[in-house]
């Protein structure tokens, strides 16, 4: 951070801080409004202030204090050029949204890609707040916010893909009992971690596309949660299967539960689970859905 402070160390005082640059540009607009308009200075303002905003962002712990609207640059630029007779079409009204689009959102995208832990409940609140605040300032259809939203989904895709590379059920083995128990406990821990992934993913459905989140959630449900349910069903552990399946269903919103039940029942049928056990599981899960 000391190196960041030194970036403008040898800069003339008129350009050393965004406060100084802001004062000069506003003075120009106030004294020569026609010249300010004719030379399209407003179109260059976001680019002029971008380096100063980036410097402040480098000192910001976004996941610890997820409010960029409380930063100095934001408060100073919120009223930039807003004096005299301001028309609805004045480009200076868009200075903050442009800085959010061009500077803040790319920075947040990097944070979510490199620092954010998608499985952290505490960091979820921060990440969700940051994404919502960003979308409140810009059109969500623009490239930058779309990339921000895609990064959230990319992180979950990566976690789910990595999860599937580990054994999901104990391997058939003639090994000693201790090794079999270790395999079982490993797979059980992985199952509960997969459930945690599901719970965290579902929490994003009100921010991201609900359909996209639903499709990934149900795919994850079938690929990473169902195999251990099949394994325990084959061992006659119907009550245990029901407990686990119910825990998984509770992670889903009501409108998705019937779809999840169909995923489980279809998988059990394909695995040729005992018909009475299948009926018991199917009826119990349908009641919960």
């Amino acid at each position: 951070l000391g190196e960041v402070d030194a970036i403008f160390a040898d800069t003339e005082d008129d350009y050393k801080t965004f406060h100084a640059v802001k004062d000069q540009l506003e003075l120009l607009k106030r004294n020569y409004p026609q010249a300010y308009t004719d030379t399209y200075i407003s179109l260059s303002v976001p680019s002029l202030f971008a380096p100063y905003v980036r410097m402040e962002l480098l000192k910001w712990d976004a996941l610890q204090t997820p409010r960029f609207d409380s930063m100095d640059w934001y408060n100073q630029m919120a009223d930039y050029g807003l004096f005299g007779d301001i028309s609805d079409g004045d480009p200076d009204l868009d200075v903050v949204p442009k800085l959010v689009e061009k500077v803040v959102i790319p920075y947040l995208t990097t944070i979510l890609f490199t620092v954010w832990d998608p499985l952290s409940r505490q960091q979820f609140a921060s990440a969700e707040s940051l994404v919502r605040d960003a979308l409140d300032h810009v059109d969500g259809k623009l490239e930058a916010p779309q990339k921000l939203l895609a990064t959230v989904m990319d992180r979950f895709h990566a976690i789910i893909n990595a999860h599937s590379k580990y054994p999901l059920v104990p391997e058939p083995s003639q090994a000693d009992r201790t090794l079999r128990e270790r395999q079982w406990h490993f797979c059980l821990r992985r199952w509960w971690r997969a459930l945690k992934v599901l719970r965290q993913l579902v929490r994003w459905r009100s921010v991201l596309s609900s359909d996209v989140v639903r499709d990934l959630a149900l795919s994850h449900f079938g690929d990473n949660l169902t195999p251990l349910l099949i394994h325990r069903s084959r061992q006659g552990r119907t009550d245990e299967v029901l407990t686990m399946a119910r825990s998984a269903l509770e992670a889903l919103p009501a409108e998705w539960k019937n779809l999840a039940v169909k995923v489980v029942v279809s998988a059990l049928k394909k695995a040729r689970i005992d018909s009475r056990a299948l009926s018991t599981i199917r009826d119990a899960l349908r009641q919960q859905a």
Side-chain angles (χ1 to χ4, degrees), residues 29 37 81-93:
K29 183 176 183 178
T37 301
L82 305 184
F83 47 76
D85 296 328
I86 302 298
S87 66
D88 292 339
D90 192 324
D92 286 339
L93 292 170

Side-chain angles (χ1 to χ4, degrees), residues 203-221:
R203 296 178 76 180
W204 282 96
R205 72 186 187 280
S206 62
V207 182
L208 307 175
S209 166
S210 180
D211 290 345
V212 171
V213 174
R214 180 201 61 208
D215 291 346
L216 181 58
L218 293 177
S219 173
H220 174 57
F221 195 104

Side-chain angles (χ1 to χ4, degrees), residues 241-277:
V241 170
L242 281 173
T243 299
M244 296 171 69
R246 284 168 175 158
S247 296
L249 286 179
E250 287 173 359
L252 300 174
E255 61 271 22
W256 299 357
K257 288 184 179 181
N258 281 325
L259 295 173
V261 170
K262 290 180 180 179
V263 169
V264 174
V265 172
S266 176
L268 293 175
K269 283 183 178 179
K270 288 181 180 179
R272 298 183 178 180
I273 299 302
D274 176 77
S275 58
R276 283 191 295 180

Side-chain angles (χ1 to χ4, degrees), residues 114-162:
T114 60
V115 180
W116 170 55
D117 178 6
L119 300 188
S120 168
R121 293 182 181 181
Q122 181 179 358
Q123 288 193 9
F124 163 78
S126 296
E128 182 196 34
S129 176
L130 290 167
V131 172
R132 286 187 182 277
D133 284 350
L135 294 178
D136 285 343
H137 286 78
V138 301
D139 182 351
K141 296 180 180 179
L142 294 172
E143 181 180 357
Q146 283 294 305
K147 187 174 181 180
L148 176 67
L149 297 176
T151 297
V152 175
M153 290 302 298
D154 288 346
R155 292 297 310 279
F156 277 104
H157 274 289
I159 290 173
I160 290 171
N161 289 338

Side-chain angles (χ1 to χ4, degrees), residues 134-207:
L135 294 178
D136 285 343
H137 286 78
V138 301
D139 182 351
K141 296 180 180 179
L142 294 172
E143 181 180 357
Q146 283 294 305
K147 187 174 181 180
L148 176 67
L149 297 176
T151 297
V152 175
M153 290 302 298
D154 288 346
R155 292 297 310 279
F156 277 104
H157 274 289
I159 290 173
I160 290 171
N161 289 338
H163 182 90
S164 63
K165 294 180 180 180
Y166 291 89
L168 300 177
V169 298
E171 297 179 1
S173 172
Q174 300 299 321
D176 62 78
R177 179 179 178 182
T178 300
L179 181 56
R180 290 197 302 271
E181 288 181 351
R182 287 178 179 174
Q183 288 182 346
W184 158 243
H185 287 300
F186 173 82
C187 292
L188 185 60
R189 286 195 300 272
R190 298 297 301 176
W191 190 90
W192 285 105
R193 187 178 188 276
L195 179 56
K196 184 176 183 180
V197 173
L198 179 68
R199 287 170 174 161
Q200 291 300 102
L201 172 61
V202 168
R203 296 178 76 180
W204 282 96
R205 72 186 187 280
S206 62
V207 182

